[in-house]
Amino acid sequence: EHVLAQAQKLDSIRRSGKPTGDLHGIPIGIKDIFDTAEFPTERGSKIYAGRRPDNDSAVIEKLREAGAVIMGKTVTTEFAFMHPGKTRNPHHTNYSPGGSSSGSAAAVGAAQIPLALGSQTNGSIIRPASFCGIYGFKPSRGIISRRGVFETSATLDSIGGFAQNLGDLALLTDVLGGFDAADSLSYLAPRPRMLEGYLADVPAEPSLVWFDLPYADRYSSAATAGLEELLEVMGTTITRVRAPDSFSDLIECHQIIYDYEIYRCLKDERENHWDELSVSVISALERAKTRSREQYNDAMNLLESARSWFETFFHDYDAIISLSAPGEPVLLNEGTGDPICSTIWTLCGLPCVSLPLLSGDNDLPIGVQLITAENQDDRLFRTSRWLLDQLRSAADS
């Protein structure tokens, strides 16, 4: 009834000749860490069962302004962290949809809704997009406001989305972007125009790079074979490069920052609701409390050095190409999967998109990821569309 009431109101706006927004009448699902005044926001935890915020989060305000129809909340892992929710993979219900944006990815993958909101602190958009065989996008840090979103890391948390095609993702991100003084990472400057980037033709053949990454031993044989076939099809467009030794340090850097900040973000939960936390969250918090301020400061300094390195690196390349996940979805009893394919890019605030291009031995999806320079998200959409066009042409020939 609530959804139909929204739709009827939007119909009356159109009939009256009043202005309509870019998402007028389009249904969307909302990960249950985004505050919504008209729906409970329970953060994947029984601690917050029935919690009803007084105000919408910034992105919900943007969606309402654009005329979207808020269908409801989607399942998240506990505190958008590790402990799985009840959602299953839409391609095979014995498998995980990924996490932490599990419900959003599964709902789009099952074609229940065309768009959904997610968040990413490590691999929580890109990995579920890969597992559910859909498009997922995490924009550059600071493009979308995090006001009214449950915080687990002030440095690493990012907002993004899921869609059934790349152009819809570009449009959604344009709608959500904008400055917000309430978000410490939001910046007062023009944003990249994602849809313009998606619709634009490349001025010259893009130059992509594939890194021999330090975690490649975690890839499944099917994922490795699929990526090798893709690289072969693309030929000289893709340059193979050995990753700097420092990339291994960046993986630990991410863990230190995440541990240090989530321990402080969950202060109330650990002090007042310890017995209501899952075993996996308790275990993570026990590890996190051992992180020192000195370790954290060193990690933050390394992060800044890495951001500077990537800024220079992308002077020569349009994008990095990588896997979105080490392989197919994992079984439900194995958790939500390994986020390692996103760790370095998320740490450095780089825009990342997952494209549903490969499949594994069980005929389940494996995504391919493109990453580009910070605040060049429009270029990422342009390059991604070009890659999709090239692969379609190769398949037809």
Side-chain angles (χ1 to χ4, degrees), residues 177-236:
F179 174 69
D180 187 344
D183 185 341
S184 62
L185 295 182
S186 186
Y187 58 87
L188 190 57
R191 266 79 177 145
R193 292 182 173 90
M194 316 296 175
L195 189 58
E196 283 187 18
Y198 169 76
L199 295 173
D201 294 327
V202 296
E205 184 174 86
S207 178
L208 309 182
V209 63
W210 173 82
F211 278 122
D212 181 13
L213 291 160
Y215 47 80
D217 58 340
R218 303 193 197 183
Y219 298 165
S220 71
S221 57
T224 300
L227 186 59
E228 285 291 339
E229 185 178 348
L230 188 154
L231 297 177
E232 184 177 340
V233 168
M234 297 307 297
T236 57

Side-chain angles (χ1 to χ4, degrees), residues 74-93:
T74 61
V75 171
T76 176
T77 62
E78 183 184 18
F79 307 127
F81 198 40
M82 299 184 304
H83 191 68
K86 60 186 178 181
T87 311
R88 296 169 179 260
N89 192 290
H91 296 273
H92 195 308
T93 55

Side-chain angles (χ1 to χ4, degrees), residues 81 121 141 146 150-158 184-185 253-270 284-285 287-293 295-297 299-300 303 347:
F81 198 40
T121 311
R141 187 169 292 146
R146 302 170 299 174
F150 185 69
E151 181 180 290
T152 61
S153 170
T155 301
L156 303 172
D157 289 349
S158 295
S184 62
L185 295 182
C253 175
H254 178 281
Q255 189 66 67
I256 291 170
I257 293 171
Y258 199 0
D259 283 349
Y260 190 87
E261 294 187 346
I262 196 171
Y263 188 76
R264 284 147 185 81
C265 288
L266 295 183
K267 182 176 186 293
D268 177 69
E269 290 79 8
R270 59 185 169 79
L285 290 175
R287 180 193 66 234
K289 74 179 180 181
T290 67
R291 303 294 190 183
S292 69
R293 181 72 188 186
Q295 283 181 303
Y296 177 71
N297 289 340
M300 292 296 285
L303 166 57
L347 170 70

Side-chain angles (χ1 to χ4, degrees), residues 322-352:
S322 178
L323 290 169
S324 301
E328 291 178 292
V330 298
L331 289 166
L332 281 172
N333 62 4
E334 296 175 0
T336 61
D338 186 351
I340 190 65
C341 292
S342 294
T343 302
I344 293 172
W345 330 126
T346 302
L347 170 70
C348 296
L350 304 175
C352 314

Side-chain angles (χ1 to χ4, degrees), residues 13-92:
I13 290 172
R14 182 182 293 278
R15 284 194 299 268
S16 70
K18 295 178 181 177
T20 56
D22 288 338
L23 296 179
H24 188 89
I26 304 298
I28 187 166
I30 311 298
K31 182 178 181 178
D32 198 22
I33 62 167
F34 294 82
D35 280 354
T36 46
E38 294 184 351
F39 299 94
T41 303
E42 300 180 336
R43 301 169 174 173
S45 170
K46 59 185 178 183
I47 295 171
Y48 294 105
R51 173 182 174 271
R52 196 70 172 261
D54 293 330
N55 301 297
D56 285 333
S57 56
V59 290
I60 302 301
E61 293 171 355
K62 293 276 190 181
L63 290 172
R64 294 195 187 284
E65 181 183 358
V69 175
I70 310 297
M71 293 290 287
K73 307 305 280 290
T74 61
V75 171
T76 176
T77 62
E78 183 184 18
F79 307 127
F81 198 40
M82 299 184 304
H83 191 68
K86 60 186 178 181
T87 311
R88 296 169 179 260
N89 192 290
H91 296 273
H92 195 308

